[in-house]
Amino acid sequence: MDFLPGAHMDSTVLHRYEGNPVISIDDVKPTAEGMQVVGIFNCGGVLRNGRVYLVCRTAERMISQEEDKLIVPFWDRNGFSSLSFDRDDSHLDLSDSRLVRDRRSGKVVALTSFSSFRLAISDDGYHFQVADTPCILPDPVTEAWGMEDPRVTELEGKYYLTYSSVSRDGVGVSLAVTDDFKTYASLGMILPPTNKDTVLFPERIDGRYYLLHRPSPSGDIGSSDIWLADSVDLVHWGNHRHLCSSREGNSWEWGKIGAGTPPIHIPEGWLLLYHGVDMQERYAMGALLLDGKDPSVILSRSVKPVMLPEMPYEKSGFFSETVFPCTAILSGDKVIVFYGAADNSICRVDITLDGLLV
């Protein structure tokens, strides 16, 4: 069993919905007065009672009345607060649209937008109704800079959310659970900084829970790769082992890789769609096939990307040249994937399993 080794799959294998994006900025109301929605993108989701439920990352920024000022939001115990920066401050590096960096220390001192989660529901998988308010409120300490990139896994009758908790102290992975997508219980931070791109497996394997995660080592040793861990209670994780490396050379996954969608159990094993980043910071989608009984064993890996940013809505946005898969729903002989496009909108692509696996 192997993956089709083509970088540009034809429409019989990979079919983008002609009406993309399925959710855009115009579908989202600002959380508070003075805020502006700048993106709704990476989303975790499931099929529940015949309806698609997506928990979407929504990015908002402060509306500034002064062109020479950059106003950035953060969350504290009173709700939204803000910081102001002079755009002509020579000590600031604003070259990355997402960050405010201090040139002297090289450290990120703020994010230009604040991300939280909105629930979107659809009866047909193409037309979504987005809630007017966030479905979960951030923690004022561990999520003061936002909540990002949720994934949703149905596991033993409940829906678990893994996501990035962002603050000045770092980016860690938190876990929340819901029965009905109306009320959510936080289970706290399960992986400390720096870590993200965490997905839960949808069933136990030999009595243990499994997840994939992406720690980011500092210094000259190691790289941002996919790791595997297991647990007996979903909260305490151990037995961490390296699973899959980024590739050297001028590769589509040279810079870093990370789990995208929660694994899908198919007859051939566990199918994982993931993202890789090249030297130009272009985000593309690849695929892994893991052993069904031992997910530490890689059976196959796509040599070339399954999907590259090619459409205008993928090539230009808040962070351009990006396709970022977070939701995969198995439907007969195809996988329905919802992905973030250019950190701006949410799109749909259908992938035929027989075409992906050869």
Side-chain angles (χ1 to χ4, degrees):
M1 183 60 59
D2 207 345
F3 290 106
L4 190 70
H8 299 279
M9 296 183 173
D10 64 36
S11 60
T12 63
V13 178
L14 189 150
H15 175 71
R16 289 176 172 87
Y17 172 49
E18 295 84 352
N20 276 339
V22 293
I23 306 177
S24 63
I25 291 173
D26 293 339
D27 299 316
V28 189
K29 295 181 179 179
T31 300
E33 187 176 353
M35 301 291 288
Q36 176 187 22
V37 178
V38 294
I40 179 168
F41 42 109
N42 307 338
C43 60
V46 294
L47 182 66
R48 175 176 181 263
N49 298 329
R51 310 176 83 186
V52 177
Y53 286 68
L54 298 181
V55 178
C56 311
R57 176 181 171 183
T58 302
E60 299 177 79
R61 65 186 178 193
M62 293 283 187
I63 299 174
S64 175
Q65 304 300 323
E66 302 176 76
E67 292 186 359
D68 60 341
K69 300 288 186 183
L70 174 65
I71 311 297
V72 301
F74 66 95
W75 187 265
D76 61 20
R77 297 188 186 282
N78 298 317
F80 278 119
S81 295
S82 64
L83 289 172
S84 176
F85 297 94
D86 293 327
R87 290 185 180 275
D88 60 358
D89 187 336
S90 61
H91 297 310
L92 299 181
D93 178 2
L94 304 178
S95 59
D96 188 323
S97 61
R98 303 167 298 182
L99 311 172
V100 179
R101 191 182 296 276
D102 190 315
R103 294 183 188 276
R104 295 163 294 186
S105 65
K107 290 187 175 181
V108 175
V109 295
L111 304 185
T112 58
S113 64
F114 185 91
S115 291
S116 58
F117 298 158
R118 296 287 181 93
L119 182 65
I121 301 175
S122 173
D123 291 326
D124 62 7
Y126 298 99
H127 304 89
F128 285 86
Q129 184 69 40
V130 182
D132 290 343
T133 57
C135 55
I136 311 174
L137 291 178
D139 180 273
V141 177
T142 60
E143 292 155 4
W145 287 9
M147 310 163 73
E148 301 181 356
D149 304 340
R151 274 78 162 189
V152 180
T153 298
E154 183 178 2
L155 176 59
E156 299 175 346
K158 298 179 181 294
Y159 303 95
Y160 290 89
L161 280 66
T162 52
Y163 63 92
S164 300
S165 293
V166 189
S167 73
R168 65 171 61 248
D169 300 316
V171 182
V173 176
S174 293
L175 181 66
V177 62
T178 180
D179 293 322
D180 52 11
F181 290 95
K182 296 178 181 176
T183 58
Y184 300 79
S186 173
L187 301 178
M189 186 174 287
I190 58 173
L191 297 172
T194 296
N195 212 313
K196 60 196 314 185
D197 295 326
T198 297
V199 296
L200 284 173
F201 284 69
E203 58 189 71
R204 299 194 205 199
I205 302 172
D206 288 336
R208 302 184 70 84
Y209 300 104
Y210 279 79
L211 61 68
L212 300 169
H213 63 111
R214 205 280 299 285
S216 295
S218 60
D220 299 328
I221 300 177
S223 55
S224 296
D225 299 336
I226 299 174
W227 287 60
L228 180 71
D230 58 63
S231 168
V232 295
D233 61 4
L234 286 171
V235 175
H236 303 89
W237 294 89
N239 198 19
H240 297 272
R241 57 271 205 199
H242 184 271
L243 179 70
C244 185
S245 296
S246 52
R247 285 192 170 106
E248 297 181 351
N250 188 23
S251 167
W252 67 275
E253 50 184 344
W254 166 82
K256 56 186 176 182
I257 57 173
T261 67
I264 297 175
H265 207 176
I266 60 176
E268 293 82 359
W270 292 104
L271 174 64
L272 173 75
L273 299 174
Y274 69 100
H275 64 265
V277 185
D278 68 10
M279 290 183 175
Q280 290 73 44
E281 292 197 82
R282 180 177 61 169
Y283 282 71
M285 179 171 71
L288 280 174
L289 185 65
L290 308 178
D291 187 276
K293 295 181 179 179
D294 182 357
S296 68
V297 177
I298 298 175
L299 300 179
S300 183
R301 180 180 181 183
S302 55
V303 176
K304 295 183 178 180
V306 172
M307 183 172 162
L308 289 163
E310 296 177 333
M311 303 301 289
Y313 50 76
E314 298 162 352
K315 295 184 72 66
S316 179
F318 189 69
F319 196 78
S320 302
E321 300 282 355
T322 297
V323 292
F324 196 93
C326 290
T327 296
I329 297 172
L330 186 62
S331 177
D333 64 348
K334 68 181 180 182
V335 180
I336 301 171
V337 179
F338 292 97
Y339 65 97
D343 279 11
N344 189 72
S345 61
I346 293 174
C347 297
R348 170 177 171 156
V349 62
D350 294 3
I351 304 174
T352 304
L353 278 177
D354 288 345
L356 183 64
L357 298 167
V358 295

